[in-house]
Amino acid sequence: MAGGLTRQFRMFGHYNAWANARLYEAAGRLGDADYRADRGAFFKSVHGTLNHLLATDRIWMKRFTGEGDAPDRLDAILFDTFGALRAARVAEDARIVAYVDGLDDTRVAGTISYRRVSSPEHFVQELAPALAHWFNHQTHHRGQTHALLTGLGQPGPELDLLFFQREQIKSASSR
């Protein structure tokens, strides 16, 4: 049986996919001009921020697994159209869920070795804090995207972890 930290990372992987689906549903209601408008966010627009999230997820998954394509820039625009970006997001979320569902306590207690995207520095880091950073980073940029959507007059979706957990409990009890 997986320990608490391993179970927590598995839950975060599922939460991440759930929250991304809700965020993309809301973003999909924007017109193209609003979707691409520079709103002063770090990655400028909803489009730029969603691409950044996918880019960094691919970077971290390459670090964690040694597999997959990883961009060499944090501001890479991996997909220019919303439809293609959304399809790639769904695929990456499935990959993330499979990865975290496959973790065990031994692996979570291990280390990873990687180079930064922005410099040649090499790091060896414990996996658990790297996973915690990664999931926190995703939440941070989803929050930015949520604020961008709100500023564009699009009601932002409920993204709280507790809301996800309540939905999971309700779904399990109705089976």
Side-chain angles (χ1 to χ4, degrees):
M1 180 158 185
L5 196 53
T6 300
R7 285 193 311 273
Q8 183 177 10
F9 290 134
R10 289 176 182 170
M11 183 262 307
F12 283 153
H14 289 266
Y15 162 71
N16 179 65
W18 172 88
N20 283 335
R22 294 175 68 83
L23 193 65
Y24 270 75
E25 183 66 30
R29 291 191 285 269
L30 292 173
D32 194 61
D34 282 343
Y35 172 69
R36 294 175 186 279
D38 184 341
R39 304 286 294 175
F42 195 83
F43 293 97
K44 298 183 177 19
S45 63
V46 171
H47 178 67
T49 305
L50 293 178
N51 266 283
H52 169 71
L53 266 172
L54 181 61
T56 56
D57 283 353
R58 286 182 171 183
I59 290 166
W60 278 104
M61 284 296 288
K62 177 81 172 192
R63 291 171 179 171
F64 296 145
T65 69
E67 299 172 357
D69 293 325
D72 60 1
R73 295 178 44 165
L74 297 175
D75 63 350
I77 300 298
L78 302 176
F79 295 92
D80 195 48
T81 67
F82 179 76
L85 182 61
R86 187 179 208 170
R89 175 79 267 167
V90 168
E92 194 66 23
D93 285 340
R95 184 173 171 235
I96 290 167
V97 166
Y99 170 69
V100 295
D101 280 353
L103 289 174
D104 59 29
D105 295 343
T106 301
R107 180 72 182 111
V108 168
T111 62
I112 59 170
S113 175
Y114 65 91
R115 293 195 186 282
R116 289 182 64 197
V117 169
S118 58
S119 72
E121 294 170 277
H122 182 262
F123 294 93
V124 175
Q125 180 174 353
E126 294 175 359
L127 179 61
L131 288 167
H133 161 77
W134 182 43
F135 286 119
N136 188 56
H137 177 265
Q138 293 166 343
T139 299
H140 165 70
H141 285 295
R142 274 195 301 268
Q144 287 181 332
T145 306
H146 191 282
L148 291 170
L149 290 170
T150 302
L152 290 164
Q154 176 64 45
E158 179 64 63
L159 298 177
D160 284 348
L161 177 63
L162 293 175
F163 195 79
F164 165 76
Q165 291 169 327
R166 289 176 191 140
E167 278 193 7
Q168 296 300 299
I169 291 167
K170 184 187 272 186
S171 176
S173 68
S174 68
R175 288 185 207 150

